[in-house]
Amino acid sequence: MSHCIRFPGGHGMIPIVRRGEMGLNLVSFSLLFLEPGESFSEDTGEDETALVILGGSCDASAGENRWENLGARADVFDGAATCVYVPRESNYGVTARDGVEIAVCRTAARRNSAPHLVRPEHVPVIPRGRDNWSRTVHDVVDARVDADRMLVGETFSPPGNWSSSPPHRHEKDDLPRETRHEEIYYFRVRPRQGFGIIRLYNDDRSLDETITVGHNDTVVITGGYHPTVAGPGYSLYYLWVLAGKERRVVTRDDPNHAWLKEKG
């Protein structure tokens, strides 16, 4: 079974992967594309939901909260994200201003909380790694947002650079050594004809899959290590959504490659 979902195209709300599919029990992911003046709304039901604006601008609501003119970047490579967090048993609405593209991230939630707006200036920008495995990570929905299970962020890899490196996994509830979290990666590439590569594997190689990803592709990660590299000359972006029993993530590095962190 391939863990990659190629973008099907379309307009409006486009489901990419739902809970119950491809080994996911907690995470769902969709894309919302609206032209100027178009609107979309829905109830959240049992899912907490994060609306991450990929590009363009919109007005948005969550429960009784209303915000105008959200979205400060033309596309994902143009700065930090704006995000609206919507709790379970609530509702949200979006109306596009100049056209908008939104990643709709949903995770099964056990409790209610309050809506929360994350503006670009609130997003921590964190450099990670070094040499040709340096990248920049933006934490969008983190501990500052009173979510139940959800964690959301964005990773930016320069051309030819690796991320999720040294290769790590989060597939077992085994504190303090490791936590189990489902995850999806949603990719974008600049320029759009470019590509990246992700390798999914485990210790005994019963999982060992290498996937070439392109603009708008999604990869489902339910276990194993998952290092990723940007193609030469192409900047690689991926949005990541994590959910598990714990809201903190403790990863286990592949012991064959953990020495990278110790290198001077």
Side-chain angles (χ1 to χ4, degrees):
M1 178 191 74
S2 175
H3 291 77
C4 183
I5 304 165
R6 306 299 180 186
F7 179 59
H11 182 74
M13 181 65 78
I14 306 166
I16 303 299
V17 63
R18 298 180 175 91
R19 282 195 285 136
E21 299 175 346
M22 300 180 71
L24 293 173
N25 296 309
L26 299 175
V27 177
S28 300
F29 182 68
S30 301
L31 294 167
L32 178 61
F33 296 134
L34 298 177
E35 297 295 331
E38 289 184 328
S39 297
F40 179 85
S41 62
E42 68 174 358
D43 294 334
T44 55
E46 297 180 352
D47 293 339
E48 55 186 347
T49 301
L51 308 173
V52 181
I53 300 177
L54 303 171
S57 63
C58 64
D59 300 332
S61 63
E64 301 300 316
N65 298 270
R66 301 287 185 273
W67 300 281
E68 293 186 349
N69 199 21
L70 298 181
R73 58 185 182 179
D75 61 34
V76 297
F77 296 101
D78 184 36
T82 301
C83 174
V84 176
Y85 170 81
V86 192
R88 60 169 284 171
E89 296 182 357
S90 185
N91 57 76
Y92 70 85
V94 175
T95 299
R97 284 184 168 244
D98 56 356
V100 70
E101 301 177 345
I102 297 175
V104 183
C105 313
R106 304 180 181 93
T107 64
R110 299 159 293 191
R111 62 176 178 84
N112 297 345
S113 56
H116 189 107
L117 174 63
V118 180
R119 295 189 182 273
E121 58 268 28
H122 302 153
V123 174
V125 177
I126 306 164
R128 288 189 180 160
R130 60 174 178 269
D131 302 329
N132 69 335
W133 47 284
S134 64
R135 66 275 193 191
T136 303
V137 175
H138 293 186
D139 287 338
V140 179
V141 178
D142 60 9
R144 298 164 304 148
V145 178
D146 185 27
D148 181 28
R149 284 190 168 106
M150 174 182 288
L151 292 164
V152 180
E154 299 178 315
T155 295
F156 300 81
S157 293
N161 277 30
W162 289 85
S163 60
S164 294
S165 187
H168 69 256
R169 75 178 196 198
H170 36 79
E171 67 178 24
K172 295 181 179 181
D173 283 318
D174 184 27
L175 284 173
R177 290 169 291 276
E178 186 177 353
T179 53
R180 174 170 175 75
H181 285 79
E182 301 175 359
E183 187 170 23
I184 67 100
Y185 280 3
Y186 166 68
F187 292 92
R188 289 200 163 184
V189 188
R190 184 175 66 180
R192 290 191 176 197
Q193 74 272 20
F195 66 95
I197 295 172
I198 180 170
R199 184 186 179 203
L200 306 177
Y201 70 97
N202 57 17
D203 291 312
D204 65 9
R205 300 301 191 270
S206 57
L207 170 65
D208 197 346
E209 181 182 3
T210 301
I211 305 166
T212 301
V213 292
H215 196 75
N216 280 330
D217 286 343
T218 302
V219 171
V220 173
I221 303 166
T222 55
Y225 308 102
H226 37 279
T228 305
V229 64
Y234 295 100
S235 298
L236 186 69
Y237 157 98
Y238 56 88
L239 171 80
W240 40 269
V241 186
L242 283 154
K245 184 172 71 174
E246 302 284 340
R247 194 148 181 254
R248 59 172 173 146
V249 182
V250 181
T251 60
R252 175 185 185 270
D253 290 339
D254 183 341
N256 292 313
H257 307 298
W259 64 269
L260 286 169
K261 287 183 176 178
E262 302 167 3
K263 179 186 174 190

